[in-house]
């Protein structure tokens, strides 16, 4: 929402595993081989059982840049950055996309993603690391046509790019020079609007790919990392209800009002309704931005909410274009400059509305600003927590785009959810509930904001002992709101304006770990992520683990921000991870004689020839799988060396 910003668009690859999408698949006692096979339904592994959690930018190019003086540049002759490429890491593993938990899949995070802006000759202009972030503002983007790719929803990742390196070519770009001079602490803001994802195995070859609209801009101190500190529009016009979920026409939308410039900038990249997975627009109606003279508090409804010309001041028409290009070339960002004085004065403390003409002097309200202009959001809203660990969460409150100082926010734990018994839609085993025991986490129920509109909420993990039985830890969800005003009812059912916590089970590191100390965990990993067990090492087999212990020690000892880090899902407590590493240092496994009861258990593996043979690994198949997911020229690691180690 900054005047200085760059827009890019293209594809992304998200090769997630789907065996772990089903909570019942975590139960080792009831796991079946068919759960690792492709196919819909509870008796198999869904649509991508051999996924590797890869996230990667593909075919992404810079479409335009905007400068603080109001200029918009779209030609390479005006700025060399136009047409340049957005890529991920070079010569190593790409980033990862993972869920917090099988029972919290609505805030999937990016981890270890490298952001590189390069020339066609791979010369670096800008490079950095995207700070881990979960998506939010899920909404139905494809109002029609979603059956082709299977996923009509879209979502938004917002974060910062850190550890930035500026290449020599950056000096030749007016935009990058302005970005470098304006941003603070050598970080930049990044916003990624994703849509059109293919989990359908369609004939067009786009399986596990989607479209992405990206924006980078300066980052300013004291502003949040994972959402824009700006004003919000909420859609209230519902086109239909599908399986109880309202299909909202234009849902959650960010915008900013610049009083000095008398301009309004709206990011429709997260909300403009599209007709296909490539961002095509078939809408041909006139749409207007206006400011309402009267308060609009309606929630979303299939019954249209109307207003008239006496109750609004029109700012201007939204200059969108039907067809496949407008959204991808502009990122959906619309800026209306030189708005009239009456509208500018009202916008200081009145709601922005998106209107569609419905008759002479009459309008249907498609979307309206938050009630009283109040926006309350948590920055680090996705949390992984161990016993006795405290995370400092940051809650922000804004009104009409300005920080709300010294106001109280209330934080509450959602009610426990019930255990789901075995039934027709859940035939394997019962599913555990969430948000219990309540004493698993400690937090303040009331916090106050500072001069930046920010409140600090300490969140501490207490001891829990396996409340979900076959799934490690527990999921807790916290709600928050301004003391004087409840959450806006039009916020959207999937906005994810909550706090999501995965608290890990209490676990002590054994002095001398035995295979039995890690067998349950490793068997579960082998069940849920067959790409490892089928092509590299059977994680459920201690002999195979011992044979490949060097590469496993390397992966389990990486920094959690590294894409090589194991476990890829980041769902293991630190003590359990350290126990696995400790076992790998001294892998006690059962020998043939031990299995026959000829010697006492616990004898150290003497040589790889003594135990049962490890599973045969098809090296070429693994290589081909890596190339298929990352491109023929991509070499994330020395595969041959791994097999020789």
């Amino acid at each position: 929402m900054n005047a200085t910003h760059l827009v890019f668009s293209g594809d992304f690859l998200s090769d997630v595993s789907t065996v772990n999408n089903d909570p019942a698949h975590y139960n080792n006692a009831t796991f079946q081989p068919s759960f690792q096979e492709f196919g819909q339904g509870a008796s198999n592994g869904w649509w991508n059982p051999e996924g590797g959690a890869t996230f990667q930018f593909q075919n992404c190019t810079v479409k335009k840049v905007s400068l603080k003086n109001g200029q918009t540049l779209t030609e390479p002759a005006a700025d060399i950055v136009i047409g340049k490429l957005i890529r991920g890491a070079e010569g190593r593993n790409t980033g990862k996309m993972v869920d917090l938990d099988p029972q919290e899949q609505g805030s999937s995070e990016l981890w270890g993603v490298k952001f590189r802006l390069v020339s066609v000759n791979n010369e670096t202009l800008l490079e950095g690391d995207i700070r881990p972030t979960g998506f939010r503002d899920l909404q139905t983007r494809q109002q029609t046509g979603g059956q082709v790719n299977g996923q009509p929803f879209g979502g938004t990742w917002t974060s910062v790019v850190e550890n930035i390196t500026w290449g020599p070519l950056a000096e030749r770009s007016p935009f990058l020079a302005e970005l470098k001079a304006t941003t603070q602490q050598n970080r930049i803001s990044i916003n990624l609007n994703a849509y059109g994802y293919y989990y359908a195995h369609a004939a067009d070859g786009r399986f596990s790919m989607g479209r992405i609209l990206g924006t980078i801009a300066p980052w300013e101190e004291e502003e949040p990392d994972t959402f824009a500190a700006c004003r919000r529009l909420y859609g209230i016009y519902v086109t239909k209800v599908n399986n109880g979920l309202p299909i909202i026409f234009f849902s959650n939308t960010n915008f900013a009002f610049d009083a000095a410039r008398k301009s309004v900038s709206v990011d429709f990249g997260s909300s403009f309704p599209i007709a296909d997975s490539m961002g095509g627009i078939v809408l041909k109606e006139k749409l207007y931005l206006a400011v309402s003279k009267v308060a609009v508090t309606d929630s979303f409804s299939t019954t249209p909410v109307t207003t008239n010309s006496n109750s609004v001041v029109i700012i201007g028409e939204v200059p969108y274009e039907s067809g496949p290009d407008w959204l991808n070339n502009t990122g959906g960002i619309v800026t209306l400059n030189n708005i009239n004085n009456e509208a500018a004065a009202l916008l200081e403390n009145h709601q922005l509305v998106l209107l569609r003409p419905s008759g002479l002097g009459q309008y249907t309200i498609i979307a309206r600003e938050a009630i009283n202009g109040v926006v309350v959001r948590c920055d680090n809203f996705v949390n992984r927590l161990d016993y006795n660990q405290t995370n400092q969460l940051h809650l922000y409150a804004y009104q009409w785009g300005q920080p709300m100082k010294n106001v109280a926010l209330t934080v509450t734990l959602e009610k426990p959810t019930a255990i789901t018994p075995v039934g027709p839609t859940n035939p394997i085993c019962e599913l555990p509930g969430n948000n219990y025991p309540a004493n698993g986490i400690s937090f303040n129920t009331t916090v106050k904001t500072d001069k930046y509109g920010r409140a600090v909420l300490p969140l501490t993990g207490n001891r829990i002992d396996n409340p979900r039985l076959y799934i490690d830890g527990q999921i807790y969800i916290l709600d928050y709101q301004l003391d004087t005003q409840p959450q806006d009812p039009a916020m959207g059912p999937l906005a994810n304006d909550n706090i999501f916590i995965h608290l890990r089970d209490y676990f002590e590191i054994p002095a001398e770990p035995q295979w039995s100390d890690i067998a349950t965990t490793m068997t579960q990993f082998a069940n849920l992520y067959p790409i490892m067990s089928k092509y590299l090492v059977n994680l459920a087999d201690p002999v195979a683990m011992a044979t490949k212990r060097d590469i496993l020690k390397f992966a389990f000892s990486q920094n959690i921000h590294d894409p090589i880090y194991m476990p890829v899902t980041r769902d293991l407590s630190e003590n359990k991870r350290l126990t696995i590493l400790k076992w790998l240092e001294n892998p006690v496994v059962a020998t043939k004689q031990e299995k026959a009861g000829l010697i006492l258990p616990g004898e150290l593996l003497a040589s790889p020839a003594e135990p049962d043979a490890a599973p045969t690994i098809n090296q070429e198949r693994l290589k081909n799988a890596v190339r298929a997911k990352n491109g023929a020229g991509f070499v994330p690691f020395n595969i041959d060396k791994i097999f020789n180690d």
Side-chain angles (χ1 to χ4, degrees):
M1 306 314 302
N2 196 295
T4 302
H5 66 264
L6 173 152
V7 172
F8 66 90
S9 65
D11 298 327
F12 71 95
L13 174 72
S14 180
D15 175 41
V16 294
S17 172
T18 55
V19 183
N20 70 343
N21 279 0
D22 194 327
H25 289 174
Y26 282 68
N27 192 337
N28 291 344
T30 57
F31 194 86
Q32 301 295 322
S34 63
F35 299 167
Q36 294 186 343
E37 298 173 0
F38 166 75
Q40 296 296 321
S43 61
N44 49 61
W46 303 94
W47 48 270
N48 195 30
E50 293 187 7
T54 295
F55 179 90
Q56 186 180 41
F57 296 111
Q58 293 193 343
N59 312 312
C60 291
T61 57
V62 176
K63 300 299 183 181
K64 73 167 189 174
V65 297
S66 295
L67 304 177
K68 61 184 178 183
N69 63 7
Q71 276 188 293
T72 296
L73 309 177
T74 59
E75 298 295 333
D79 194 314
I80 66 164
V81 79
I82 305 299
K84 295 299 186 287
L85 310 177
I86 305 298
R87 289 178 175 168
E90 181 181 22
R92 60 163 299 169
N93 292 56
T94 60
K96 300 295 182 181
M97 175 179 165
V98 296
D99 291 326
L100 178 65
D101 189 84
Q103 293 190 304
E104 175 39 48
Q105 299 182 37
S107 55
S108 303
E109 289 181 291
L110 302 182
W111 283 84
V113 178
K114 180 76 73 174
F115 178 86
R116 298 174 60 234
L117 173 58
V118 299
S119 72
V120 293
N121 297 320
N122 206 32
E123 301 165 291
T124 299
L125 287 87
L126 181 154
E127 179 177 323
D129 303 306
I130 298 180
R131 188 177 180 87
T133 183
F135 63 52
R136 51 172 72 171
D137 287 338
L138 294 176
Q139 46 196 303
T140 304
R141 295 300 307 279
Q142 291 171 246
Q143 303 281 322
T144 58
Q147 69 275 9
V148 175
N149 51 296
Q151 178 55 278
F153 285 94
T156 297
W157 289 288
T158 303
S159 188
V160 293
V161 182
E162 303 176 307
N163 308 316
I164 294 176
T165 299
W166 302 87
L169 285 179
E171 299 175 1
R172 296 168 50 194
S173 164
F175 168 77
L176 291 178
E178 186 169 294
L179 177 65
K180 185 177 181 180
T182 308
T183 200
Q184 298 176 1
Q185 294 187 11
N186 202 32
R187 315 168 96 205
I188 60 174
S189 295
I190 186 167
N191 191 68
L192 303 170
N193 293 317
Y195 65 88
Y197 184 72
Y198 271 72
Y199 65 64
H201 291 248
D204 55 9
R206 291 187 60 81
F207 172 68
S208 74
M209 293 178 67
R211 293 293 290 173
I212 199 159
L213 306 176
T215 311
I216 62 172
W219 180 85
E220 297 178 9
E221 292 179 355
E222 311 302 343
E223 73 176 13
D225 289 345
T226 66
F227 67 93
C230 59
R231 296 165 70 169
R232 304 263 284 167
L233 282 172
Y234 298 136
I236 62 172
Y237 178 55
V238 174
T239 57
K240 61 181 177 180
V241 177
N242 186 15
N243 294 325
L245 183 69
I247 307 302
I248 302 173
F249 198 57
F250 285 89
S251 194
N252 306 316
T253 305
N254 291 331
F255 79 94
F257 168 55
D258 188 329
R261 294 176 179 271
K262 294 186 179 178
S263 68
V264 174
S265 292
V266 186
D267 183 3
F268 288 118
S270 64
S271 61
F272 208 102
I274 55 179
D276 56 52
S277 62
M278 303 303 288
I281 295 172
V282 296
L283 190 66
K284 294 184 179 179
E285 304 175 53
K286 288 185 178 296
L287 298 171
Y288 293 93
L289 289 171
V291 56
S292 180
K293 298 178 182 178
V294 297
V296 185
T297 59
D298 303 82
S299 184
F300 45 83
S301 171
T302 53
T303 302
V305 176
T306 60
T307 189
N308 57 60
S309 55
N310 293 324
S311 299
V312 298
V313 177
I314 300 295
I315 294 173
E317 184 176 349
V318 177
Y320 77 92
E321 299 172 7
S322 295
D325 298 327
W326 178 78
L327 194 62
N328 290 296
N329 288 338
T330 66
I333 297 175
V334 169
T335 299
L336 299 182
N337 295 309
N338 301 315
I339 64 178
N340 64 66
N341 291 335
E342 183 183 10
L346 284 170
L347 268 177
E348 295 281 359
N349 53 16
H350 286 71
Q351 291 165 291
L352 185 74
V353 289
L354 178 66
L355 306 176
R356 182 179 68 183
S358 57
L360 187 62
Q362 299 292 312
Y363 300 93
T364 297
I365 301 179
I366 301 297
R368 58 137 174 97
E369 188 172 356
I371 295 173
N372 295 325
V374 171
V375 174
V376 180
R377 308 194 89 179
C378 183
D379 195 5
N380 42 341
F381 67 104
V382 181
N383 287 263
R384 289 163 169 79
L385 205 60
D386 279 355
Y387 163 69
N388 210 27
Q389 175 185 338
T390 298
N391 289 357
Q392 302 291 335
L393 278 59
H394 293 161
L395 299 169
Y396 288 82
Y398 301 96
Q399 184 173 32
W400 310 117
Q402 300 301 315
M404 298 183 73
K405 305 172 185 178
N406 199 34
V407 296
L409 305 176
T410 300
V411 184
T412 55
L413 174 64
E414 290 196 353
K415 294 180 180 179
T417 59
I419 295 173
T420 306
V422 174
T425 60
N426 179 43
I428 302 167
C429 62
E430 67 180 20
L431 302 182
N434 302 142
N435 296 318
Y436 62 82
N439 62 1
I441 54 175
S442 298
F443 59 94
N444 298 331
T445 56
T446 302
V447 290
K448 278 198 170 183
T449 61
D450 60 16
K451 64 180 181 179
Y452 303 108
R454 176 185 57 203
V456 179
L457 175 69
L459 175 70
T460 300
N462 302 319
R463 176 168 177 164
I464 59 171
D465 294 293
N466 204 212
R468 292 192 295 173
L469 302 179
Y470 57 84
I471 303 179
D472 188 284
Q474 181 59 284
I475 289 295
Y476 292 91
I477 301 177
L478 301 180
D479 300 327
Y480 52 87
Q481 65 183 42
L482 194 66
D483 256 9
T484 56
Q485 180 176 308
Q487 283 192 340
D488 195 315
M491 180 179 284
L494 299 173
N496 279 11
D497 277 327
N498 309 89
I499 297 168
F500 302 98
I501 304 147
H502 180 204
L503 174 63
R504 283 77 169 261
D505 288 331
Y506 176 81
F507 185 82
E508 290 189 3
I509 302 174
E512 296 182 2
Q514 307 294 303
W515 174 250
S516 58
D517 294 314
I518 65 172
T520 298
T521 299
M522 302 315 299
T523 299
Q524 192 174 78
F525 285 156
N527 290 341
L528 297 173
Y529 309 105
I531 189 173
M532 283 290 294
S533 293
K534 289 183 179 181
Y535 305 134
L536 188 59
V537 56
N538 184 356
L539 297 174
D541 184 345
V543 174
M545 288 270 292
T547 303
K548 296 294 180 184
R549 64 177 181 173
D550 285 344
I551 189 64
L552 290 171
K553 282 163 55 180
F554 177 75
F556 275 103
S557 61
Q558 294 305 299
N559 184 284
I560 194 171
H561 295 276
D562 196 302
I564 298 175
Y565 174 91
M566 283 187 68
V568 67
T569 44
R570 277 88 178 152
D571 58 357
L572 200 61
S573 69
E574 185 66 0
N575 277 6
K576 285 189 176 180
R577 186 183 69 87
L578 293 174
T579 299
I580 293 170
L581 274 171
K582 198 171 182 180
W583 182 87
L584 287 168
E585 289 289 346
N586 184 35
V588 178
V589 299
T591 64
K592 289 180 180 178
Q593 293 88 344
E594 181 181 335
K595 291 177 182 177
L598 300 178
I599 61 174
L600 293 174
E603 185 168 322
L604 182 65
L605 174 67
S607 70
E610 184 178 355
D612 292 337
T616 300
I617 302 168
N618 187 323
Q619 299 184 27
E620 286 306 313
R621 187 172 182 185
L622 176 60
K623 292 177 184 178
N624 290 335
V626 171
R627 294 187 186 107
K629 296 179 188 306
N630 299 285
F634 183 81
V635 183
F637 46 73
N638 189 327
I639 298 174
D640 293 320
K641 184 178 185 302
I642 291 174
F643 286 107
N644 294 331
D645 284 345

